[in-house]
């Protein structure tokens, strides 16, 4: 998305689920103070192995703010990648997700979280991932269920921003 159309402020390394929300709220306050308020905040979190009460607390904290949406992946973000290849509705852990992604009919190489080519490898499969994520939400709609995700909602917003930028 061109910066003159919309500014996207990625912020990584916030730590755990609650810290991600708190960091986003701090950035929001800072932006308001500098008279450049955010339009909306999307906080992306994984369930990972964080205690259930911390994970739940992240959602509670975000719900107090109308301009904050939590994007989750349970158990981890790699679920979104797997949905590019297949619909998975039964519980899956991080280690198994990595194995599934590494299969010959998927990435066809060992999955590496730091792989800079992932976006390019998956880009043409995004419609399938979206369809699979929507179908998964019909079965597992709670962020507390494994597997579950709503990453497709954020991706939809980014695609819409990109399309709107092209039209201007």
């Amino acid at each position: 998305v061109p910066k003159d159309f919309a500014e996207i402020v990625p912020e990584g390394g916030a730590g755990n689920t609650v810290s991600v929300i708190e960091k986003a709220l701090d950035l929001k306050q800072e932006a308001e103070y500098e008279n450049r308020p955010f339009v909306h905040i999307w906080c992306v979190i994984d369930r990972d192995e964080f205690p259930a009460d911390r994970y739940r607390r992240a959602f509670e904290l975000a719900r107090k703010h109308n301009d904050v949406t939590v994007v989750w992946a349970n158990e981890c973000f790699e679920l979104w990648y797997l949905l590019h290849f297949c619909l998975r509705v039964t519980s899956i852990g991080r280690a198994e997700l990595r194995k599934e992604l590494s299969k010959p009919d998927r990435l066809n190489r060992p999955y590496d979280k730091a792989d800079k080519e992932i976006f390019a490898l998956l880009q043409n499969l995004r419609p399938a991932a979206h369809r699979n994520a929507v179908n998964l939400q019909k079965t597992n709609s709670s962020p507390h269920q494994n597997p579950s995700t709503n990453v497709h909602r954020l991706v939809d917003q980014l695609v819409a921003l990109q399309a709107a930028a092209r039209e201007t």
Side-chain angles (χ1 to χ4, degrees), residues 39-59:
V39 173
H40 197 83
I41 299 166
W42 295 81
C43 297
V44 181
I45 62 173
D46 292 337
R47 169 65 174 94
D48 283 340
E49 295 171 349
F50 295 114
D53 63 325
R54 298 276 307 165
Y55 188 64
R56 207 173 1 264
R57 174 81 178 107
F59 288 92

Side-chain angles (χ1 to χ4, degrees), residues 14-105:
N16 64 58
T17 56
V18 174
S19 299
V20 169
I21 310 300
E22 291 172 338
K23 178 68 175 181
L25 294 173
D26 288 346
L27 289 170
K28 173 188 170 185
Q29 187 175 26
E30 180 182 313
E32 288 169 352
Y33 178 77
E34 295 173 358
N35 201 28
R36 51 176 188 86
F38 294 160
V39 173
H40 197 83
I41 299 166
W42 295 81
C43 297
V44 181
I45 62 173
D46 292 337
R47 169 65 174 94
D48 283 340
E49 295 171 349
F50 295 114
D53 63 325
R54 298 276 307 165
Y55 188 64
R56 207 173 1 264
R57 174 81 178 107
F59 288 92
E60 291 168 2
L61 183 57
R63 267 193 294 274
K64 294 178 182 177
H65 304 272
N66 292 335
D67 57 350
V68 175
T69 299
V70 176
V71 176
W72 78 86
N74 189 349
E75 177 173 299
C76 58
F77 190 81
E78 284 77 6
L79 172 63
W80 170 245
Y81 294 162
L82 183 62
L83 291 173
H84 286 72
F85 301 102
C86 66
L87 173 60
R88 173 73 184 232
V89 296
T90 56
S91 183
I92 187 166
R94 288 181 294 169
E96 188 178 350
L97 270 163
R98 288 183 188 103
K99 287 179 192 172
E100 288 291 319
L101 288 170
S102 300
K103 287 183 174 181
D105 61 336

Side-chain angles (χ1 to χ4, degrees), residues 47 55 59 70 72-74 140-146 148-149:
R47 169 65 174 94
Y55 188 64
F59 288 92
V70 176
W72 78 86
N74 189 349
N140 297 359
S141 60
S142 167
H144 305 287
Q145 292 175 283
N146 178 348
S148 65
T149 188

